[in-house]
Amino acid sequence: MTTTAPPSAPRGIRRHWSEHGLAFTLPFLLVYAAFLVFPLLWGVRMSLGNDDIAGTQSEFVGLDNYVEAVRDPDVWSSLWNTVWFTVLSTVPLVVVGLVLALLAHHLRFVNWLWRLSWFAPFLLPSGVVCLLWLWVIYPSDFGFADQLLNAFGLQPGIGWLTDARYAMLSIVLTTVWWTVGFNFLLYLAALQAIPQHLYEAAELDGAGPWQRLRTITLPLLNRTTGVVLVLQLLASLKIFDQVYIMTGGGPDESTRPILQYVFQAGFTGYRIGYASAISYIFFALIVLVSLIHLRLTRRSREENAA
């Protein structure tokens, strides 16, 4: 009678990994390290040197790039443009997305057409959207925007993208039309998950439509609103495509976001090390905003639980 040999160490290790899911996550971890962790660490190294785009020089300069970035007025003006765009775009994108979702949820005729028409612009590439608004909506005198002003008896030809007073607002309007469909879809899914018997019970108690909206719908959408707000803040802070195509950062750099300045510093000024330093300063600010939002959300949940 032969006895079975005990399992070897490698087989035991494989069983241990399988029990904890490591064997299944290892391919993802390798890809994650290769395409995210390694570039992140390599970018930190580049930000501490004076690397150029050709890779002909790489001299360690320590924190000099960070000190220069903090003292650079163009960094702060570009950062302000980014923050200003985020403030102008986040509120209408959240509110309009909620309103469109409420309309689509309660409309009883050609419901699919409303949902498709409000979500369809989000599927378009950024280049198509920007060129559409650049050539059809915003051209002076014959564009749709000027024709609309003329129809209401207002003076057309205000320079939607060439006047510093209106350029940022024009980009915000384009962005709202383009990306509101994503927030609309999230809100619509959340509305469909609300139990119908809550509305029926409130209606039996005499609650009107506005009361049901204020006491049932909006409170139950708080978590969805939090998710939409965070996603929208992060997306707005990363603004680049619309500005680069529609205004190029003008007029007079009044719409240039921080990412475009990073692009200019790295690929026009050939200072990859300095551009990396600006990127990591911006990254630190985004992390700070995320931590503040997380803290406020946690405190709000603790207060509601109490």
Side-chain angles (χ1 to χ4, degrees), residues 282-294:
F282 183 52
F283 174 72
L285 293 176
I286 292 180
V287 171
L288 180 61
V289 171
S290 302
L291 292 177
I292 292 174
H293 179 270
L294 180 62

Side-chain angles (χ1 to χ4, degrees), residues 62-305:
L63 299 177
D64 290 352
N65 286 331
Y66 290 92
V67 174
E68 181 182 354
V70 172
R71 295 176 178 175
D72 189 351
D74 289 333
V75 171
W76 292 107
S77 63
S78 301
L79 183 60
W80 165 249
N81 291 337
T82 304
V83 173
W84 183 231
F85 171 83
T86 302
V87 171
L88 291 177
S89 61
T90 298
V91 175
L93 279 169
V94 173
V95 175
V96 174
L98 174 59
V99 172
L100 293 180
L102 289 171
L103 290 175
H105 186 63
H106 291 91
L107 287 175
R108 299 305 179 190
F109 58 97
V110 290
N111 200 316
W112 64 270
L113 180 62
W114 296 110
R115 299 183 183 187
L116 176 62
S117 61
W118 290 333
F119 182 71
F122 182 72
L123 302 177
L124 298 176
S126 58
V128 173
V129 172
C130 294
L131 293 178
L132 174 65
W133 283 72
L134 190 62
W135 292 345
V136 178
I137 307 298
Y138 289 141
S140 298
D141 298 329
F142 65 88
F144 179 78
D146 279 359
Q147 294 298 323
L148 189 62
L149 291 179
N150 194 24
F152 284 94
L154 302 175
Q155 183 66 31
I158 64 174
W160 296 98
L161 299 173
T162 57
D163 193 327
R165 295 174 297 175
Y166 307 111
M168 185 64 79
L169 293 176
S170 301
I171 295 174
V172 169
L173 184 60
T174 303
T175 304
V176 170
W177 178 84
W178 175 34
T179 61
V180 73
F182 181 73
N183 298 340
F184 155 74
L185 193 65
L186 293 179
Y187 273 121
L188 184 62
L191 285 171
Q192 293 174 345
I194 298 178
Q196 188 63 30
H197 66 82
L198 297 177
Y199 295 106
E200 296 173 354
E203 189 174 2
L204 290 176
D205 290 338
W210 288 107
Q211 289 178 313
R212 295 196 296 271
L213 175 66
R214 182 174 55 86
T215 59
I216 298 177
T217 305
L218 294 182
L220 293 179
L221 291 179
N222 279 341
R223 291 194 174 184
T224 303
T225 301
V227 172
V228 169
L229 186 60
V230 171
L231 294 177
Q232 192 55 61
L233 285 173
L234 295 177
S236 297
L237 287 172
K238 296 186 296 182
I239 174 68
F240 177 80
D241 296 357
Q242 303 95 296
V243 176
Y244 186 76
I245 297 175
M246 300 180 71
T247 66
D252 299 327
E253 314 298 347
S254 61
T255 60
R256 181 179 62 183
I258 188 67
L259 290 184
Q260 184 176 350
Y261 186 62
V262 171
F263 173 81
Q264 292 174 347
F267 295 94
T268 304
Y270 306 114
R271 301 183 61 191
I272 296 297
Y274 183 59
S276 299
I278 301 174
S279 300
Y280 280 97
I281 292 175
F282 183 52
F283 174 72
L285 293 176
I286 292 180
V287 171
L288 180 61
V289 171
S290 302
L291 292 177
I292 292 174
H293 179 270
L294 180 62
R295 177 59 181 170
L296 293 177
T297 303
R298 182 177 301 174
R299 180 180 299 177
S300 176
R301 290 179 179 177
E302 292 176 353
E303 292 177 354
N304 293 334

